[in-house]
Coordinates of all heavy atoms in Angstrom, one line a residue:
M106 N 23.5 191.6 -27.6 CA 24.7 192.3 -27.9 C 25.9 191.4 -27.5 O 25.8 190.7 -26.5 CB 24.9 193.6 -27.2 CG 24.0 194.7 -27.8 SD 24.6 196.4 -27.4 CE 24.3 196.5 -25.7
P107 N 27.0 191.4 -28.3 CA 28.2 190.6 -28.0 C 28.8 191.0 -26.7 O 28.8 192.2 -26.3 CB 29.1 190.8 -29.2 CG 28.3 191.4 -30.2 CD 27.1 192.1 -29.6
L108 N 29.4 190.0 -26.0 CA 30.1 190.2 -24.8 C 31.6 190.2 -25.0 O 32.1 189.4 -25.8 CB 29.7 189.1 -23.8 CG 30.0 189.2 -22.3 CD1 29.2 190.4 -21.8 CD2 29.6 188.0 -21.6
Y109 N 32.3 191.2 -24.4 CA 33.8 191.3 -24.6 C 34.4 191.4 -23.2 O 33.8 191.8 -22.3 CB 34.1 192.6 -25.4 CG 33.6 192.6 -26.8 CD1 32.4 193.1 -27.1 CD2 34.4 192.1 -27.8 CE1 31.9 193.1 -28.5 CE2 34.0 192.1 -29.2 CZ 32.8 192.6 -29.5 OH 32.3 192.6 -30.7
F110 N 35.7 190.9 -23.2 CA 36.5 190.9 -22.0 C 37.9 191.6 -22.3 O 38.4 191.4 -23.3 CB 36.8 189.5 -21.6 CG 35.5 188.7 -21.3 CD1 34.8 188.1 -22.3 CD2 35.0 188.6 -20.0 CE1 33.7 187.4 -22.1 CE2 33.9 187.9 -19.7 CZ 33.2 187.3 -20.8
F111 N 38.4 192.2 -21.2 CA 39.8 192.8 -21.3 C 40.8 191.8 -20.8 O 40.5 191.1 -19.9 CB 39.9 194.1 -20.5 CG 39.2 195.2 -21.1 CD1 37.9 195.7 -20.6 CD2 39.7 195.9 -22.2 CE1 37.3 196.8 -21.2 CE2 39.1 197.0 -22.8 CZ 37.9 197.4 -22.3
R112 N 42.0 191.8 -21.4 CA 43.1 191.0 -20.9 C 44.3 191.9 -20.9 O 44.6 192.5 -21.9 CB 43.3 189.7 -21.6 CG 44.5 189.0 -21.1 CD 44.7 187.6 -21.6 NE 44.7 187.5 -23.1 CZ 44.4 186.4 -23.7 NH1 44.2 185.3 -23.1 NH2 44.4 186.4 -25.1
I113 N 45.1 191.9 -19.8 CA 46.3 192.7 -19.7 C 47.4 191.7 -19.5 O 47.3 190.8 -18.7 CB 46.2 193.8 -18.6 CG1 45.1 194.8 -18.9 CG2 47.6 194.4 -18.4 CD1 44.9 195.8 -17.8
R114 N 48.5 192.0 -20.3 CA 49.7 191.2 -20.1 C 50.8 192.1 -19.6 O 51.1 193.1 -20.2 CB 50.1 190.6 -21.4 CG 49.1 189.6 -22.0 CD 49.6 189.0 -23.3 NE 48.6 188.2 -23.9 CZ 48.5 186.9 -23.8 NH1 49.3 186.3 -23.1 NH2 47.5 186.3 -24.5
N115 N 51.4 191.7 -18.5 CA 52.5 192.4 -17.8 C 52.0 193.5 -16.9 O 51.0 194.2 -17.2 CB 53.5 193.0 -18.9 CG 54.8 193.5 -18.2 OD1 54.9 193.4 -17.0 ND2 55.7 193.9 -19.0
G116 N 52.6 193.5 -15.7 CA 52.2 194.6 -14.8 C 51.2 194.1 -13.7 O 50.9 192.9 -13.6
R117 N 50.9 195.1 -12.9 CA 50.1 194.8 -11.7 C 48.7 194.2 -12.0 O 48.2 193.4 -11.2 CB 49.9 196.2 -11.0 CG 49.2 196.2 -9.7 CD 49.2 197.5 -9.2 NE 48.3 197.6 -8.0 CZ 48.1 198.7 -7.3 NH1 48.6 199.9 -7.8 NH2 47.3 198.7 -6.3
Y118 N 48.1 194.5 -13.0 CA 46.7 194.0 -13.3 C 46.7 192.9 -14.4 O 45.7 192.8 -15.1 CB 45.8 195.1 -13.7 CG 45.7 196.2 -12.6 CD1 46.4 197.4 -12.7 CD2 45.0 195.9 -11.4 CE1 46.3 198.4 -11.7 CE2 44.9 196.9 -10.4 CZ 45.6 198.1 -10.5 OH 45.5 199.0 -9.5
S119 N 47.8 192.1 -14.5 CA 47.8 191.1 -15.5 C 46.7 190.1 -15.4 O 46.3 189.8 -14.2 CB 49.2 190.4 -15.4 OG 50.2 191.2 -15.8
G120 N 46.2 189.6 -16.5 CA 45.2 188.6 -16.5 C 44.0 189.0 -17.3 O 43.9 190.2 -17.7
A121 N 43.0 188.1 -17.4 CA 41.8 188.4 -18.1 C 40.7 188.8 -17.1 O 40.6 188.2 -16.0 CB 41.4 187.2 -19.0
S122 N 39.8 189.7 -17.5 CA 38.7 190.1 -16.6 C 37.7 188.9 -16.6 O 37.5 188.3 -17.6 CB 38.1 191.4 -17.1 OG 37.5 191.2 -18.3
E123 N 37.0 188.8 -15.5 CA 36.0 187.8 -15.4 C 34.6 188.4 -15.8 O 33.7 187.6 -16.1 CB 36.0 187.2 -14.0 CG 37.2 186.4 -13.7 CD 37.1 185.8 -12.3 OE1 36.1 185.6 -11.8 OE2 38.2 185.4 -11.8
H124 N 34.5 189.6 -15.7 CA 33.3 190.3 -16.0 C 33.3 191.0 -17.4 O 34.2 191.8 -17.7 CB 33.0 191.4 -15.0 CG 33.0 190.9 -13.6 ND1 31.9 190.1 -13.1 CD2 33.9 191.0 -12.6 CE1 32.2 189.8 -11.9 NE2 33.4 190.2 -11.5
G125 N 32.5 190.5 -18.3 CA 32.4 191.0 -19.6 C 31.6 192.3 -19.7 O 30.9 192.6 -18.8
I126 N 31.8 193.0 -20.9 CA 31.0 194.1 -21.1 C 30.3 193.9 -22.5 O 30.9 193.3 -23.4 CB 31.9 195.4 -21.2 CG1 33.0 195.3 -22.2 CG2 32.4 195.8 -19.8 CD1 33.8 196.6 -22.4
E127 N 29.1 194.4 -22.5 CA 28.3 194.2 -23.8 C 28.6 195.5 -24.7 O 28.5 196.6 -24.2 CB 26.8 194.1 -23.5 CG 26.4 192.8 -22.9 CD 24.9 192.7 -22.7 OE1 24.2 193.7 -22.7 OE2 24.5 191.6 -22.5
L128 N 28.9 195.2 -25.9 CA 29.2 196.3 -26.9 C 28.5 195.9 -28.2 O 28.4 194.7 -28.5 CB 30.7 196.4 -27.1 CG 31.5 196.8 -25.8 CD1 33.0 196.7 -26.1 CD2 31.2 198.3 -25.5
A129 N 28.1 196.9 -28.9 CA 27.2 196.7 -30.1 C 27.9 195.8 -31.2 O 27.3 195.0 -31.8 CB 26.8 198.0 -30.6
D130 N 29.2 196.1 -31.4 CA 29.9 195.5 -32.5 C 31.4 195.7 -32.4 O 31.9 196.3 -31.4 CB 29.4 196.0 -33.9 CG 29.5 197.5 -34.0 OD1 30.4 198.1 -33.3 OD2 28.8 198.1 -34.8
H131 N 32.2 195.3 -33.4 CA 33.7 195.4 -33.3 C 34.1 196.9 -33.3 O 35.1 197.3 -32.7 CB 34.3 194.7 -34.5 CG 34.6 193.3 -34.2 ND1 34.0 192.5 -33.3 CD2 35.4 192.4 -34.9 CE1 34.4 191.3 -33.3 NE2 35.2 191.2 -34.3
N132 N 33.3 197.8 -34.0 CA 33.7 199.2 -34.0 C 33.5 199.8 -32.5 O 34.4 200.5 -32.1 CB 32.8 200.0 -34.9 CG 33.1 199.7 -36.4 OD1 34.3 199.4 -36.7 ND2 32.1 199.7 -37.2
A133 N 32.5 199.4 -31.9 CA 32.3 199.9 -30.5 C 33.3 199.3 -29.6 O 33.8 199.9 -28.6 CB 30.9 199.5 -30.0
A134 N 33.7 198.0 -29.9 CA 34.8 197.3 -29.1 C 36.1 198.0 -29.2 O 36.8 198.2 -28.3 CB 34.9 195.9 -29.5
W135 N 36.4 198.4 -30.4 CA 37.7 199.1 -30.7 C 37.7 200.5 -29.9 O 38.7 200.8 -29.3 CB 37.9 199.3 -32.2 CG 39.1 200.2 -32.5 CD1 39.1 201.4 -32.9 CD2 40.5 199.8 -32.3 NE1 40.5 201.9 -33.1 CE2 41.3 200.9 -32.7 CE3 41.1 198.6 -31.9 CZ2 42.7 200.9 -32.6 CZ3 42.5 198.6 -31.8 CH2 43.3 199.7 -32.2
Q136 N 36.6 201.2 -30.0 CA 36.5 202.5 -29.3 C 36.7 202.3 -27.8 O 37.3 203.1 -27.1 CB 35.1 203.1 -29.6 CG 35.0 203.6 -31.0 CD 36.1 204.6 -31.4 OE1 36.4 205.5 -30.7 NE2 36.6 204.4 -32.6
E137 N 36.1 201.2 -27.3 CA 36.2 201.0 -25.8 C 37.6 200.6 -25.4 O 38.2 201.1 -24.4 CB 35.2 199.9 -25.4 CG 35.2 199.6 -23.9 CD 34.6 200.7 -23.1 OE1 33.8 201.5 -23.6 OE2 35.0 200.8 -21.9
L138 N 38.3 199.8 -26.3 CA 39.7 199.4 -26.0 C 40.6 200.7 -26.0 O 41.4 200.9 -25.1 CB 40.1 198.4 -27.0 CG 41.6 197.9 -26.9 CD1 41.9 197.2 -25.5 CD2 42.0 197.0 -28.0
T139 N 40.5 201.4 -27.1 CA 41.4 202.6 -27.2 C 41.1 203.7 -26.1 O 42.0 204.2 -25.6 CB 41.3 203.3 -28.6 OG1 39.9 203.6 -28.8 CG2 41.8 202.3 -29.7
S140 N 39.9 203.8 -25.7 CA 39.5 204.7 -24.7 C 40.1 204.2 -23.3 O 40.7 205.0 -22.5 CB 38.0 204.9 -24.6 OG 37.6 205.7 -23.5
S141 N 39.9 203.0 -23.0 CA 40.5 202.4 -21.8 C 42.0 202.5 -21.7 O 42.6 202.8 -20.7 CB 40.1 200.9 -21.7 OG 38.7 200.8 -21.5
C142 N 42.7 202.2 -22.9 CA 44.1 202.3 -22.9 C 44.6 203.8 -22.7 O 45.5 204.0 -22.0 CB 44.7 201.8 -24.2 SG 44.8 200.0 -24.3
A143 N 43.9 204.7 -23.3 CA 44.2 206.1 -23.2 C 44.1 206.5 -21.7 O 45.0 207.3 -21.2 CB 43.3 207.0 -24.0
D144 N 43.2 206.0 -21.0 CA 43.0 206.3 -19.6 C 44.2 205.7 -18.7 O 44.5 206.3 -17.7 CB 41.7 205.8 -19.0 CG 40.5 206.6 -19.6 OD1 40.7 207.6 -20.1 OD2 39.4 206.0 -19.5
M145 N 44.8 204.7 -19.2 CA 45.8 203.9 -18.4 C 47.2 204.2 -18.8 O 48.1 204.0 -18.0 CB 45.5 202.4 -18.5 CG 44.2 202.0 -18.1 SD 43.9 200.2 -18.5 CE 45.1 199.4 -17.5
V146 N 47.5 204.7 -20.0 CA 48.8 204.7 -20.6 C 49.8 205.6 -19.8 O 51.0 205.2 -19.7 CB 48.8 205.1 -22.1 CG1 48.6 206.6 -22.3 CG2 50.0 204.6 -22.8
G147 N 49.4 206.7 -19.2 CA 50.3 207.5 -18.4 C 50.9 206.7 -17.2 O 52.1 206.7 -17.0
G148 N 50.0 206.0 -16.5 CA 50.5 205.2 -15.4 C 51.3 204.1 -15.8 O 52.3 203.7 -15.1
I149 N 51.0 203.4 -16.9 CA 51.7 202.3 -17.4 C 53.1 202.7 -17.8 O 54.1 202.1 -17.4 CB 51.0 201.7 -18.6 CG1 49.7 201.1 -18.2 CG2 51.9 200.6 -19.2 CD1 49.6 200.1 -17.2
C150 N 53.3 203.9 -18.5 CA 54.6 204.4 -19.0 C 55.5 204.7 -17.8 O 56.7 204.4 -17.9 CB 54.4 205.6 -19.8 SG 53.8 205.2 -21.5
R151 N 54.9 205.3 -16.7 CA 55.7 205.6 -15.6 C 56.3 204.4 -14.9 O 57.4 204.5 -14.2 CB 54.9 206.4 -14.6 CG 54.7 207.9 -15.0 CD 54.1 208.7 -13.9 NE 52.7 208.4 -13.7 CZ 51.7 208.9 -14.5 NH1 51.9 209.7 -15.5 NH2 50.4 208.6 -14.2
K152 N 55.7 203.2 -15.0 CA 56.2 202.0 -14.3 C 56.8 201.0 -15.3 O 57.3 200.0 -14.8 CB 55.0 201.4 -13.6 CG 54.5 202.3 -12.5 CD 53.3 201.7 -11.8 CE 52.8 202.7 -10.8 NZ 51.5 202.3 -10.2
L153 N 56.7 201.3 -16.6 CA 57.3 200.3 -17.6 C 58.8 200.2 -17.5 O 59.5 201.2 -17.5 CB 56.8 200.7 -19.0 CG 57.0 199.7 -20.1 CD1 56.1 198.5 -19.8 CD2 56.7 200.3 -21.4
G154 N 59.3 199.0 -17.3 CA 60.8 198.8 -17.3 C 61.4 198.8 -18.7 O 60.7 198.7 -19.7
R155 N 62.7 199.0 -18.7 CA 63.4 198.9 -20.0 C 63.3 197.5 -20.6 O 63.2 196.5 -19.9 CB 64.9 199.2 -19.8 CG 65.2 200.6 -19.5 CD 66.6 200.8 -19.5 NE 67.0 202.1 -19.0 CZ 68.1 202.5 -18.5 NH1 69.1 201.6 -18.5 NH2 68.3 203.7 -18.1
D156 N 63.2 197.5 -21.9 CA 63.1 196.2 -22.6 C 62.0 195.3 -22.2 O 62.1 194.1 -22.0 CB 64.5 195.4 -22.6 CG 65.6 196.2 -23.2 OD1 65.4 196.8 -24.3 OD2 66.7 196.3 -22.5
T157 N 60.8 195.9 -21.9 CA 59.6 195.2 -21.6 C 58.5 195.6 -22.5 O 58.6 196.5 -23.3 CB 59.2 195.4 -20.1 OG1 58.9 196.8 -20.0 CG2 60.3 195.0 -19.1
Q158 N 57.4 194.9 -22.4 CA 56.3 195.1 -23.2 C 55.0 195.0 -22.4 O 54.9 194.1 -21.5 CB 56.2 194.1 -24.4 CG 55.1 194.3 -25.3 CD 55.2 193.4 -26.6 OE1 56.3 193.3 -27.1 NE2 54.1 192.8 -27.0
W159 N 54.0 195.9 -22.6 CA 52.7 195.8 -22.0 C 51.7 195.7 -23.1 O 51.8 196.3 -24.1 CB 52.5 197.1 -21.2 CG 51.2 197.2 -20.6 CD1 50.8 196.8 -19.3 CD2 50.0 197.9 -21.1 NE1 49.5 197.1 -19.1 CE2 49.0 197.7 -20.2 CE3 49.7 198.5 -22.3 CZ2 47.7 198.2 -20.4 CZ3 48.4 199.0 -22.5 CH2 47.4 198.8 -21.5
E160 N 50.7 194.8 -22.9 CA 49.7 194.6 -23.9 C 48.3 194.6 -23.2 O 48.2 194.1 -22.1 CB 49.8 193.2 -24.5 CG 51.1 193.0 -25.3 CD 51.2 191.6 -25.9 OE1 50.2 190.8 -25.9 OE2 52.2 191.3 -26.5
M161 N 47.4 195.1 -23.9 CA 46.0 195.1 -23.5 C 45.2 194.5 -24.7 O 45.4 195.0 -25.8 CB 45.4 196.4 -23.1 CG 44.1 196.4 -22.6 SD 43.6 198.0 -21.9 CE 42.2 197.6 -21.0
E162 N 44.4 193.5 -24.5 CA 43.6 192.9 -25.5 C 42.2 192.9 -25.2 O 41.8 193.0 -24.0 CB 44.0 191.4 -25.7 CG 45.4 191.1 -26.1 CD 45.8 189.7 -26.2 OE1 45.3 188.9 -25.3 OE2 46.4 189.3 -27.1
L163 N 41.4 192.9 -26.2 CA 40.0 192.8 -26.1 C 39.6 191.4 -26.6 O 39.9 191.1 -27.8 CB 39.2 193.9 -26.8 CG 37.8 194.1 -26.4 CD1 37.7 194.6 -24.9 CD2 37.0 195.0 -27.3
L164 N 39.0 190.6 -25.8 CA 38.6 189.2 -26.2 C 37.1 189.1 -26.5 O 36.3 189.8 -25.9 CB 38.9 188.3 -25.0 CG 40.3 188.4 -24.4 CD1 40.5 187.5 -23.2 CD2 41.4 188.1 -25.4
D165 N 36.8 188.2 -27.3 CA 35.4 188.0 -27.6 C 34.8 187.0 -26.6 O 35.4 186.7 -25.6 CB 35.2 187.5 -29.0 CG 35.8 186.1 -29.3 OD1 36.2 185.4 -28.4 OD2 35.9 185.8 -30.5
E166 N 33.5 186.6 -26.8 CA 32.8 185.7 -25.9 C 33.5 184.4 -25.7 O 33.4 183.8 -24.6 CB 31.4 185.5 -26.3 CG 30.6 186.8 -26.2 CD 29.1 186.6 -26.8 OE1 28.9 185.6 -27.6 OE2 28.3 187.4 -26.4
R167 N 34.3 183.9 -26.6 CA 35.0 182.7 -26.5 C 36.4 182.9 -25.9 O 37.2 182.0 -25.9 CB 35.1 182.0 -27.9 CG 33.8 181.6 -28.5 CD 33.9 181.2 -29.9 NE 34.4 182.4 -30.7 CZ 35.3 182.3 -31.7 NH1 35.8 181.2 -32.1 NH2 35.6 183.4 -32.3
K168 N 36.7 184.1 -25.5 CA 38.0 184.5 -24.9 C 39.1 184.5 -25.9 O 40.2 184.2 -25.6 CB 38.3 183.7 -23.7 CG 37.3 183.8 -22.5 CD 37.4 185.0 -21.8 CE 36.4 185.1 -20.6 NZ 36.9 185.0 -19.3
Q169 N 38.7 184.7 -27.2 CA 39.7 184.8 -28.3 C 40.0 186.3 -28.6 O 39.1 187.1 -28.6 CB 39.2 184.1 -29.6 CG 38.9 182.7 -29.4 CD 40.2 181.9 -29.0 OE1 41.2 182.1 -29.7 NE2 40.1 181.1 -28.0
P170 N 41.3 186.7 -28.8 CA 41.6 188.1 -29.1 C 40.9 188.6 -30.3 O 40.9 188.0 -31.4 CB 43.1 188.0 -29.2 CG 43.6 186.7 -28.7 CD 42.4 185.8 -28.8
V171 N 40.4 189.8 -30.2 CA 39.8 190.5 -31.3 C 40.7 191.7 -31.7 O 41.0 191.9 -32.8 CB 38.4 191.1 -30.9 CG1 37.8 191.9 -32.1 CG2 37.5 189.9 -30.5
F172 N 41.2 192.4 -30.7 CA 42.1 193.6 -30.8 C 43.2 193.5 -29.8 O 42.9 193.0 -28.7 CB 41.4 194.9 -30.7 CG 40.3 195.1 -31.8 CD1 39.0 195.1 -31.4 CD2 40.7 195.3 -33.1 CE1 38.0 195.4 -32.3 CE2 39.7 195.6 -34.0 CZ 38.3 195.6 -33.7
R173 N 44.4 194.1 -30.1 CA 45.5 194.1 -29.2 C 46.2 195.5 -29.4 O 46.5 195.9 -30.5 CB 46.5 193.0 -29.4 CG 47.7 193.0 -28.5 CD 48.7 191.9 -28.9 NE 48.0 190.6 -28.8 CZ 48.1 189.7 -29.9 NH1 48.8 190.0 -31.0 NH2 47.5 188.6 -29.8
I174 N 46.5 196.1 -28.2 CA 47.4 197.3 -28.3 C 48.6 197.0 -27.5 O 48.5 196.4 -26.3 CB 46.6 198.5 -27.7 CG1 45.5 198.9 -28.6 CG2 47.6 199.7 -27.5 CD1 44.6 200.1 -28.1
C175 N 49.8 197.2 -28.0 CA 51.0 196.9 -27.4 C 51.8 198.2 -27.1 O 51.9 199.1 -28.0 CB 51.9 196.0 -28.3 SG 51.2 194.4 -28.6
L176 N 52.5 198.3 -26.0 CA 53.4 199.3 -25.7 C 54.7 198.7 -25.4 O 54.9 197.8 -24.5 CB 52.9 200.1 -24.4 CG 53.7 201.2 -23.9 CD1 53.8 202.3 -25.0 CD2 53.1 201.8 -22.6
V177 N 55.7 199.0 -26.2 CA 57.1 198.4 -26.2 C 58.1 199.3 -25.7 O 58.2 200.5 -26.3 CB 57.4 197.8 -27.5 CG1 58.8 197.1 -27.5 CG2 56.4 196.8 -28.0
A178 N 58.9 198.9 -24.8 CA 60.0 199.8 -24.3 C 61.3 199.0 -24.7 O 61.7 198.0 -24.1 CB 59.9 200.0 -22.8
D179 N 62.0 199.6 -25.7 CA 63.2 198.9 -26.2 C 64.5 199.8 -25.8 O 64.3 201.1 -26.0 CB 63.2 198.8 -27.7 CG 62.4 197.6 -28.1 OD1 62.1 196.7 -27.3 OD2 62.0 197.6 -29.3
S180 N 65.6 199.3 -25.5 CA 66.8 200.0 -25.4 C 67.5 200.0 -26.7 O 67.6 198.9 -27.3 CB 67.8 199.3 -24.4 OG 67.2 199.4 -23.1
L181 N 67.8 201.1 -27.2 CA 68.3 201.2 -28.6 C 69.8 201.5 -28.6 O 70.3 201.9 -29.6 CB 67.6 202.3 -29.4 CG 66.1 202.0 -29.5 CD1 65.4 203.2 -30.2 CD2 65.8 200.7 -30.2
N182 N 70.5 201.4 -27.5 CA 71.9 201.6 -27.5 C 72.6 200.4 -26.8 O 72.0 199.6 -26.2 CB 72.3 202.9 -26.9 CG 71.8 203.1 -25.5 OD1 71.7 202.1 -24.7 ND2 71.5 204.3 -25.0
N183 N 74.0 200.5 -26.9 CA 74.8 199.4 -26.3 C 75.4 199.9 -25.0 O 76.3 200.7 -25.0 CB 75.9 199.0 -27.3 CG 75.3 198.4 -28.5 OD1 74.3 197.8 -28.5 ND2 76.0 198.7 -29.7
G184 N 74.9 199.5 -23.9 CA 75.5 199.8 -22.6 C 75.5 201.3 -22.3 O 76.5 201.8 -21.6
G185 N 74.6 202.1 -22.8 CA 74.6 203.5 -22.5 C 75.4 204.4 -23.4 O 75.5 205.6 -23.2
S186 N 76.1 203.8 -24.3 CA 76.9 204.6 -25.3 C 75.9 205.1 -26.4 O 74.7 204.9 -26.3 CB 78.0 203.8 -25.9 OG 77.4 202.7 -26.6
K187 N 76.4 205.8 -27.4 CA 75.6 206.4 -28.4 C 74.8 205.2 -29.1 O 75.3 204.1 -29.3 CB 76.3 207.2 -29.4 CG 77.4 206.5 -30.2 CD 78.1 207.5 -31.1 CE 79.0 206.7 -32.0 NZ 79.6 207.6 -33.0
P188 N 73.6 205.5 -29.7 CA 72.8 204.5 -30.4 C 73.6 204.0 -31.6 O 74.3 204.7 -32.3 CB 71.6 205.3 -30.8 CG 71.5 206.4 -29.9 CD 72.9 206.8 -29.5
T189 N 73.4 202.7 -31.8 CA 74.0 202.0 -33.0 C 73.0 202.3 -34.2 O 71.8 202.1 -34.0 CB 74.1 200.5 -32.8 OG1 74.9 200.3 -31.6 CG2 74.8 199.8 -33.9
T190 N 73.6 202.7 -35.3 CA 72.7 203.0 -36.4 C 72.0 201.7 -36.9 O 72.5 200.6 -36.8 CB 73.6 203.5 -37.6 OG1 74.6 202.6 -37.9 CG2 74.1 204.9 -37.3
G191 N 70.8 201.9 -37.4 CA 70.0 200.8 -37.9 C 69.3 200.0 -36.9 O 68.7 199.0 -37.2
Q192 N 69.2 200.5 -35.6 CA 68.6 199.7 -34.6 C 67.3 200.4 -34.1 O 66.9 200.3 -33.0 CB 69.5 199.5 -33.4 CG 70.5 198.5 -33.7 CD 71.3 198.1 -32.4 OE1 71.2 198.9 -31.4 NE2 71.9 197.0 -32.3
S193 N 66.7 201.2 -35.0 CA 65.4 201.8 -34.5 C 64.2 200.8 -34.7 O 64.3 199.9 -35.5 CB 65.2 203.1 -35.4 OG 64.9 202.7 -36.7
R194 N 63.3 201.0 -33.8 CA 62.1 200.2 -33.9 C 60.9 201.2 -34.1 O 60.7 202.1 -33.4 CB 61.9 199.5 -32.6 CG 60.6 198.6 -32.6 CD 60.5 197.9 -31.3 NE 59.3 197.2 -31.3 CZ 59.2 195.9 -31.2 NH1 60.3 195.2 -31.0 NH2 58.0 195.3 -31.2
R195 N 60.2 200.9 -35.1 CA 59.0 201.7 -35.4 C 57.8 201.2 -34.7 O 57.5 200.0 -34.8 CB 58.7 201.7 -37.0 CG 60.0 202.2 -37.7 CD 59.6 202.4 -39.2 NE 59.2 203.7 -39.3 CZ 58.4 204.2 -40.2 NH1 58.0 203.3 -41.2 NH2 58.0 205.4 -40.3
P196 N 57.0 202.0 -34.0 CA 55.8 201.6 -33.4 C 54.8 201.0 -34.4 O 54.8 201.5 -35.6 CB 55.2 202.8 -32.7 CG 56.2 203.9 -32.9 CD 57.2 203.5 -33.9
R197 N 54.1 200.0 -34.1 CA 53.1 199.4 -35.0 C 51.8 199.1 -34.2 O 51.9 198.7 -33.1 CB 53.6 198.2 -35.7 CG 53.8 197.0 -34.8 CD 54.3 195.8 -35.6 NE 54.1 194.6 -34.7 CZ 55.1 194.1 -34.1 NH1 56.3 194.6 -34.1 NH2 54.9 193.0 -33.3
A198 N 50.7 199.3 -34.9 CA 49.4 199.0 -34.3 C 49.1 197.6 -34.7 O 49.4 197.2 -35.8 CB 48.4 199.9 -34.8
E199 N 48.6 196.8 -33.8 CA 48.3 195.4 -34.1 C 46.8 195.2 -33.8 O 46.2 195.8 -32.9 CB 49.1 194.4 -33.2 CG 50.5 194.4 -33.5 CD 51.2 193.3 -32.7 OE1 50.5 192.4 -32.3 OE2 52.4 193.4 -32.5
H200 N 46.2 194.3 -34.5 CA 44.9 193.8 -34.2 C 44.7 192.5 -34.8 O 45.3 192.1 -35.7 CB 43.8 194.8 -34.7 CG 43.8 195.0 -36.2 ND1 43.1 194.1 -37.0 CD2 44.3 195.9 -36.9 CE1 43.2 194.6 -38.2 NE2 44.0 195.7 -38.2
S201 N 44.0 191.7 -34.1 CA 43.7 190.3 -34.5 C 42.4 190.2 -35.2 O 41.5 190.9 -35.0 CB 43.7 189.4 -33.3 OG 45.0 189.5 -32.6

């Protein structure tokens, strides 16, 4: 079975894991990534600063990204005043 590794960008646990996990295929890898992110996202959101980004990737055996989930915190206004029109950011799912 293929070996996969997690990598986190930003925050307390930044870096790539040294211990891989065996998963049957990319579908199982996606399920593992989304399940792991779901378990962590509450704690991440509570500590995420303004205008920052948190990412979790699943890497293959060659340590190349297979999937990535990003959590982005953007300020959508100017100095605390009302939001400027046309400056919304739509969330997007990414995968490599």
Side-chain angles (χ1 to χ4, degrees):
M106 282 203 295
L108 198 60
Y109 293 90
F110 300 85
F111 287 105
R112 177 169 53 198
I113 295 175
R114 297 181 189 264
N115 195 353
R117 182 176 174 185
Y118 300 106
S119 292
S122 64
E123 294 181 22
H124 303 287
I126 56 173
E127 289 185 343
L128 299 167
D130 56 24
H131 276 16
N132 290 330
W135 175 252
Q136 292 301 317
E137 184 67 27
L138 178 63
T139 57
S140 177
S141 296
C142 279
D144 292 343
M145 299 171 66
V146 76
I149 299 300
C150 286
R151 284 188 288 277
K152 296 177 183 172
L153 193 66
R155 288 183 189 166
D156 299 315
T157 60
Q158 181 170 318
W159 177 87
E160 295 179 9
M161 186 172 194
E162 294 177 320
L163 198 66
L164 311 175
D165 63 15
E166 292 175 340
R167 297 170 296 140
K168 302 280 180 108
Q169 296 300 308
V171 177
F172 298 111
R173 177 184 306 128
I174 293 178
C175 300
L176 180 62
V177 177
D179 285 342
S180 295
L181 299 178
N182 60 27
N183 299 324
S186 61
K187 67 180 185 176
T189 306
T190 56
Q192 286 190 338
S193 65
R194 179 182 178 118
R195 303 187 89 202
R197 67 177 194 262
E199 293 187 23
H200 60 88
S201 298

